[in-house]
Amino acid sequence: MQRLTRIADLRQWLAHARSQGKTIALVPTMGALHTGHMALVENARRHCDLVVMSVFVNPRQFGPNEDFDAYPRDLDADCALAQAHGVDAVFAPSTEEMYPHAAGPLIIAGRQANMLCGASRPGHFDGVLQVVCKLFNLVQPDRAFFGQKDAQQVAIIQTFVRDYNLPLEICVIPVVREDDGLAKSSRNVYLNAEERAHAPAIHAALQLCRERLQAGFGPDAALHAARAHIAGIPDSRIDYLELLAWPDLLALGDDESSCIALAAVYVGRTRLIDNITFQR
Ligand code: AMP
């Protein structure tokens, strides 16, 4: 497996691969890899000849009081896991390599970014689109793989790719969970034992929301039941809990059949996100 930190080396490696007619998959990550990321890699390997994984903790998607400095980083462990799962090249650039100019043209993510995670993390999705756009331009993949775990990110990236006619296919992989339902996340390492024990209640609450809606209750009643369930998590605070149409993230109409229930919940100091999609 190639371990690349320089854009020039990445380009050289890709030129060689393309000259052999290989198709290229891109799996963008911030590292601290777990089996959720590996599900993306396994799908990428099935669909393309070569898999490039980026490992870059992107400062532009973190707010001033967020966990950019504390975010878990272990590039050697990430590379070992990536290699064991058949990644062909890890691209792990420095911040200076990715952003050599402090003030340049920016990308603004638009309507879908002003709600949910974007409401409590202003500018987050602008930063996501900026790094994703750079990675798409650098790697020029045939397909890029993203996790449904970050549903709003998926919706925003799909809108971006469609509206700006980017020549690649976005592939979305279902949420990978622990046995007790907790969505796998690099941030789960922040949870202490008690918080970890209670955290699966977020997924359970989303399922409860779905069950109520499918049983004929209205969205407000379904959300009320989910909110009450999350309230049982000690030292927790709901950032948002919503039921929307999927994938456009608009208010749920009476005849809407494709739905998403999403939540962001602080468990202690750790902010966890999760979602489930379903037919009404
Ligand atoms: P991150 O390193 O958190 O930026 O995640 C990199 C990619 O892995 C994103 O597309 C995430 O949506 C995806 N991902 C992270 N956790 C999971 C999970 N539990 N299941 C599926 N995909 C995931």
Side-chain angles (χ1 to χ4, degrees):
M1 187 190 77
Q2 287 292 314
R3 193 165 154 165
L4 307 161
T5 56
R6 299 269 174 199
I7 287 171
D9 295 339
L10 173 70
R11 288 209 149 124
Q12 199 176 12
W13 186 87
L14 287 164
H16 178 69
R18 267 196 213 94
S19 72
Q20 298 183 317
K22 306 281 191 195
T23 55
I24 311 277
L26 170 66
V27 180
T29 80
M30 298 203 300
L33 301 178
H34 50 69
T35 50
H37 298 108
M38 293 308 121
L40 272 58
V41 169
E42 273 141 31
N43 276 276
R45 283 183 62 193
R46 274 203 291 279
H47 286 94
C48 291
D49 299 324
L50 295 174
V51 178
V52 177
M53 170 182 274
S54 57
V55 175
F56 180 61
V57 185
N58 173 32
R60 293 198 183 177
Q61 68 189 71
F62 286 79
N65 298 316
E66 294 185 352
D67 59 344
F68 175 72
D69 290 330
Y71 198 83
R73 292 166 170 88
D74 187 344
L75 187 57
D76 288 339
D78 288 345
C79 285
L81 196 60
Q83 182 163 16
H85 283 78
V87 170
D88 297 284
V90 163
F91 176 54
S94 65
T95 301
E96 295 70 34
E97 184 76 0
M98 283 298 266
Y99 300 121
H101 310 293
L106 301 176
I107 300 171
I108 309 293
R111 175 193 70 81
Q112 290 175 322
N114 299 330
M115 58 204 298
L116 306 170
C117 287
S120 48
R121 306 185 69 188
H124 169 68
F125 290 111
D126 300 345
V128 168
L129 284 190
Q130 286 158 30
V131 78
V132 160
C133 183
K134 280 190 74 100
L135 290 168
F136 288 173
N137 285 329
L138 290 171
V139 177
Q140 299 182 22
D142 298 276
R143 292 185 163 104
F145 291 77
F146 293 89
Q148 177 67 23
K149 158 89 176 9
D150 297 275
Q152 187 178 12
Q153 170 172 282
V154 161
I156 289 167
I157 290 171
Q158 281 178 325
T159 301
F160 179 57
V161 166
R162 184 198 64 211
D163 287 3
Y164 282 81
N165 312 97
L166 304 187
L168 79 164
E169 186 184 332
I170 300 298
C171 302
V172 183
I173 307 306
V175 183
V176 178
R177 301 181 178 282
E178 304 285 357
D179 290 343
D180 58 12
L182 176 65
K184 299 238 184 197
S185 167
S186 305
R187 290 190 167 97
N188 291 351
V189 297
Y190 298 153
L191 300 170
N192 66 29
E194 196 201 352
E195 290 164 352
R196 173 65 190 80
H198 283 96
I202 300 169
H203 179 233
L206 295 174
Q207 288 178 305
L208 186 61
C209 187
R210 175 187 63 199
E211 284 161 22
R212 293 288 159 97
L213 201 69
Q214 288 174 335
F217 290 88
D220 288 347
L223 288 168
H224 182 77
R227 205 167 284 121
H229 195 79
I230 291 171
I233 306 176
D235 193 21
S236 67
R237 178 170 67 80
I238 294 176
D239 181 9
Y240 63 77
L241 172 64
E242 295 205 34
L243 258 174
L244 296 170
W246 176 253
D248 49 14
L249 297 180
L250 294 169
L252 202 57
D254 287 341
D255 53 353
E256 220 78 54
S257 62
S258 181
C259 309
I260 185 165
L262 324 86
V265 179
Y266 284 93
V267 178
R269 294 161 61 90
T270 305
R271 185 174 177 279
L272 300 175
I273 61 169
D274 200 354
N275 70 88
I276 56 173
T277 52
F278 55 94
Q279 297 298 308
R280 203 170 184 175

